[in-house]
Amino acid sequence: MSQLSEQELVRREKLTKLRELGINPYPADLYHVNHTSRDVKNDFEEGKQVVIAGRLMMIKVQGKASFAQLQDSEGKIQVYFNRDEICPGEDKVKYNEVFKKLLDFGDFVGIEGELFTTKVGEKSVRVKDFTLLSKALKPLPLPKEKDGVVFDAFTDPEHRYRQRYADLVVNPHVKDVFIKRTKLFNAMRSFFNNSGYFEVETPVLQPIPGGAAARPFVTHHNSLDIPLYMRIANELYLKRLIVGGFDGVYEFSKNFRNEGMDRTHNPEFTAMEIYVAYKDYNWMMDFCERLLEYCAMVVNESTKAKFGEHEIDFKAPYARVTMADSIKEFTGFDITGKTEDEIRQAAKDLGVEVDETMGKGKLIDEIFGEKCEGNYIQPTFITDYPKEMSPLCKEHRDNPELTERFELMVCGKEIANAYSELNDPIDQRERFEHQLKLAAKGDDEATEFIDHDFLRALEYGMPPTSGMGIGMDRLIMFLTNNQSIQEVLFFPQMRPEKKAVPLSEEGKAVLDLLKKAEKLALTDLKAQSGLSNKKWDKTIKELTKHNLAKVEKTDDGLFVELV
């Protein structure tokens, strides 16, 4: 156990005293709550008897009469404690000893009382009896205020994400994001169900990481003695169900990709995929517009959503632009009919970083990503992707170089991807084999696996089908005005916590300099630190030993950076 703070030690002493008084600080009995703080405020009636429960978030002791603030899942309500009403007669222990001396911020209590209005007009609960339901042994990171200035507020993102439980308590507005997240899932599920489509579940552990090109997480099944892969996409399994006779299936799936992390990517994320028989990508565009307009209304009671400096309007219809037209508009280069070498040279001329491992599809994708997609703020369908970019997509009915595919762009980011699904098993096999050749050349966008069972399923026959995937985490970011995916995940993936280590004063000073810049030239940092050569060498060794900083040698010289 880590060393306890003074406050934590005091709370443990209080825990012991409670037990000595015969009070169980963690009772197992049911506590029958009949009102929430919102119920009290919305259906207020003077003198009404209520039973509420929650955390004590503020206690103001004033002799035999005290006020406190109780926070539950619906908000906060003021409660009033009067010693003579709680402890009629001579027995004053419950108030004098328990309430005044042994309760703390963060403790869970149950309260029986009656509603009344204070002299200043605040709706409150007059306490008739209270029960300790759970003693908090760690103080909440509540903000402090001095001379009108708030400090020690629990606002540091890393602390908030690591201790989401504390974040939700002391920053109640954070809960609104996750309430809206649930509303989004419920709205989408309702829309699909009302359309007659069937929710299903497909495997998370898969023998082949299929349906996308991504680096998987790998594990091992001991009984079968085989490697298994965490799902990177559920597409191929859902299409198997269309083969099996379902007309429409959808799934909210947890997917896992062993790749980079940034403000819009987490290694574990939630996607929705839906497949509908006898439809094509034109139908799916119309369906997508109606779906997102409906979801925006349910979540925000408006089709409009604020995102950074932009106001996005999810009201249908959305603009539709072919990929070739988009690239031509923003670069002047027409990719139609061009060879791989011509596109590679064009990319270089445009200042897009490319290499010889990239195939035609990857090159086009790099040009579009670098020069075009950031221009689409309002919802816009980018359609008709080159065949090289879409190995699971049906060839375009009017142009064999293209596929019937769209991506929905919002604020320069893709939130939906959809196809007229490829259902020709011979064409699909050839596409897979071409992907293997690209992967062998080093194209990291190409898949390295062929799912032979999926090809067998296609050989039994799959009807014309359209499918769509939506990144749920990214969509809720747009609907709640959050720039970081970590804000819309209860528990985002993070590096393990660094153990607290005692640092010298010199170590603390150098670490502070590094935190401001994250990376500094060795000579610059030494000059800023003002340390002697001997102390400097000792300090760098100290930070390196505690795995807080490292010295990196580059062609430009020696740099010190945070680990």
Side-chain angles (χ1 to χ4, degrees):
M1 182 185 292
S2 60
Q3 187 174 359
L4 298 176
S5 68
E6 183 179 349
Q7 286 192 58
E8 289 172 307
L9 289 171
V10 169
R11 286 179 180 238
R12 278 164 170 74
E13 290 174 4
K14 292 181 179 181
L15 185 75
T16 300
K17 290 177 182 177
L18 284 165
R19 286 180 168 141
E20 288 173 353
L21 288 171
I23 297 173
N24 183 354
Y26 306 104
D29 300 338
L30 290 173
Y31 194 79
H32 296 282
V33 176
N34 61 21
H35 283 74
T36 66
S37 59
R38 180 178 294 180
D39 295 334
V40 169
K41 293 175 180 177
N42 291 347
D43 191 23
F44 186 84
E45 182 183 330
E46 201 80 22
K48 183 178 180 179
Q49 302 296 308
V50 298
V51 181
I52 59 176
R55 287 185 186 270
L56 289 173
M57 297 300 289
M58 180 275 289
I59 303 174
K60 189 179 292 185
V61 176
Q62 299 173 332
K64 70 174 186 177
S66 304
F67 284 95
Q69 196 174 61
L70 192 82
Q71 178 172 303
D72 62 13
S73 63
E74 300 290 343
K76 296 178 181 178
I77 188 72
Q78 180 171 273
V79 290
Y80 169 71
F81 291 80
N82 184 290
R83 183 188 67 189
D84 295 334
E85 293 192 37
I86 295 171
C87 309
E90 297 301 318
D91 182 10
K92 309 297 183 186
V93 171
K94 190 162 192 177
Y95 181 83
N96 290 341
E97 295 298 321
V98 179
F99 175 75
K100 289 178 67 175
K101 297 180 181 179
L102 302 180
L103 295 190
D104 292 293
F105 301 134
D107 289 352
F108 276 93
V109 296
I111 286 174
E112 299 175 42
E114 65 180 29
L115 305 186
F116 80 107
T117 306
T118 65
K119 293 179 180 178
V120 295
E122 184 167 356
K123 297 174 181 178
S124 307
V125 179
R126 190 190 310 275
V127 180
K128 298 298 183 181
D129 196 9
F130 69 91
T131 303
L132 176 61
L133 300 176
S134 180
K135 180 68 182 169
L137 299 183
K138 196 173 188 67
L140 289 165
L142 295 171
K144 302 176 180 65
E145 185 175 335
K146 184 176 182 181
D147 299 328
V149 178
V150 175
F151 62 99
D152 283 348
F154 197 56
T155 56
D156 181 81
E158 180 168 343
H159 292 157
R160 291 179 48 240
Y161 304 155
R162 288 192 188 281
Q163 301 181 47
R164 183 67 85 187
Y165 37 86
D167 184 31
L168 291 165
V169 176
V170 303
N171 297 315
H173 64 277
V174 171
K175 187 184 293 184
D176 295 339
V177 172
F178 295 98
I179 290 172
K180 287 187 173 184
R181 183 185 175 103
T182 295
K183 284 183 177 180
L184 172 63
F185 279 74
N186 289 342
M188 199 170 282
R189 182 175 279 113
S190 174
F191 192 89
F192 294 151
N193 291 345
N194 290 337
S195 299
Y197 306 134
F198 192 65
E199 184 171 10
V200 298
E201 293 179 303
T202 61
V204 173
L205 291 174
Q206 302 180 354
I208 291 175
R215 182 181 300 139
F217 288 92
V218 187
T219 186
H220 186 82
H221 192 291
N222 291 332
S223 296
L224 296 176
D225 193 24
I226 59 170
L228 288 174
Y229 302 88
M230 299 289 282
R231 173 171 59 197
I232 60 173
N234 55 349
E235 175 172 347
L236 302 187
Y237 282 94
L238 291 174
K239 287 198 279 196
R240 283 171 169 94
L241 297 179
I242 297 296
V243 170
F246 287 94
D247 283 346
V249 292
Y250 71 93
E251 180 179 19
F252 294 100
S253 65
K254 282 289 185 182
N255 295 344
F256 307 85
R257 298 186 181 180
N258 195 1
E259 298 175 339
M261 295 169 57
D262 57 33
R263 293 174 68 84
T264 59
H265 294 86
N266 193 66
E268 176 183 351
F269 63 97
T270 304
M272 184 291 304
E273 293 204 22
I274 182 168
Y275 293 82
V276 185
Y278 313 112
K279 309 298 183 186
D280 67 3
Y281 80 137
N282 291 309
W283 177 90
M284 189 61 83
M285 273 188 268
D286 295 337
F287 185 78
C288 180
E289 289 174 334
R290 290 184 282 115
L291 169 67
L292 295 186
E293 180 179 339
Y294 173 77
C295 289
M297 284 298 300
V298 171
V299 172
N300 287 330
E301 299 180 353
S302 171
T303 61
K304 296 180 179 179
K306 184 77 173 173
F307 187 73
E309 61 184 16
H310 304 293
E311 183 179 75
I312 310 164
D313 194 347
F314 286 98
K315 186 172 180 59
Y318 306 158
R320 304 182 184 194
V321 182
T322 69
M323 174 165 275
D325 285 346
S326 177
I327 292 175
K328 188 174 181 180
E329 177 185 356
F330 292 109
T331 70
F333 178 68
D334 188 351
I335 63 173
T336 306
K338 297 298 190 296
T339 65
E340 182 178 309
D341 289 340
E342 288 174 319
I343 294 172
R344 180 177 284 106
Q345 186 58 51
K348 292 177 181 178
D349 294 343
L350 291 167
V352 177
E353 190 173 335
V354 297
D355 58 53
E356 298 305 313
T357 69
M358 295 179 180
K360 188 175 180 180
K362 177 65 172 172
L363 291 167
I364 294 171
D365 192 34
E366 289 294 310
I367 293 173
F368 178 78
E370 185 77 20
K371 299 296 182 180
C372 306
E373 68 179 18
N375 296 291
Y376 296 106
I377 303 304
Q378 295 303 321
T380 304
F381 292 117
I382 304 299
T383 70
D384 301 347
Y385 282 53
K387 186 182 290 186
E388 293 81 1
M389 297 178 66
S390 313
L392 295 165
C393 187
K394 182 171 284 190
E395 183 180 283
H396 198 284
R397 66 198 74 181
D398 298 324
N399 187 337
E401 291 188 356
L402 305 177
T403 55
E404 296 195 346
R405 173 185 177 184
F406 73 77
E407 288 187 340
L408 178 64
M409 310 300 297
V410 177
C411 284
K413 299 293 182 183
E414 172 228 328
I415 61 170
N417 186 21
Y419 307 156
S420 292
E421 300 296 335
L422 179 57
N423 60 344
D424 179 341
I426 296 174
D427 189 1
Q428 182 65 85
R429 185 179 296 276
E430 291 173 351
R431 302 262 200 106
F432 278 156
E433 290 170 350
H434 181 63
Q435 287 286 301
L436 290 183
K437 292 177 183 178
L438 292 176
K441 287 174 57 179
D443 188 339
D444 59 5
E445 292 290 318
T447 181
E448 300 179 48
F449 298 88
I450 293 181
D451 190 333
H452 292 284
D453 179 67
F454 173 66
L455 289 172
R456 177 170 58 188
L458 284 187
E459 288 174 353
Y460 281 108
M462 185 175 84
T465 299
S466 183
M468 177 175 64
I470 291 178
M472 299 299 291
D473 306 316
R474 193 170 289 178
L475 178 55
I476 198 62
M477 287 170 62
F478 289 126
L479 291 174
T480 59
N481 194 15
N482 277 295
Q483 308 289 319
S484 170
I485 195 172
Q486 284 84 8
E487 291 287 353
V488 302
L489 301 174
F490 271 129
F491 304 106
Q493 193 66 45
M494 303 187 73
R495 292 183 186 276
E497 273 187 276
K498 293 175 182 175
K499 294 182 179 178
V501 291
L503 286 178
S504 65
E505 291 304 313
E506 293 85 357
K508 292 176 184 176
V510 172
L511 196 61
D512 285 341
L513 289 175
L514 271 176
K515 285 179 179 178
K516 291 175 183 176
E518 293 189 352
K519 185 176 183 178
L520 283 170
L522 201 66
T523 52
D524 293 340
L525 183 60
K526 182 178 178 182
Q528 289 187 42
S529 71
L531 298 175
S532 66
N533 288 337
K534 185 175 181 180
K535 282 192 174 181
W536 167 253
D537 291 338
K538 185 177 179 181
T539 301
I540 292 298
K541 284 181 181 178
E542 177 187 20
L543 295 179
T544 305
K545 175 185 175 183
H546 290 315
N547 197 32
L548 295 171
K550 67 177 180 180
V551 177
E552 182 184 21
K553 186 177 182 180
T554 72
D555 293 339
D556 298 321
L558 288 173
F559 290 86
V560 182
E561 61 182 340
L562 293 172
V563 172

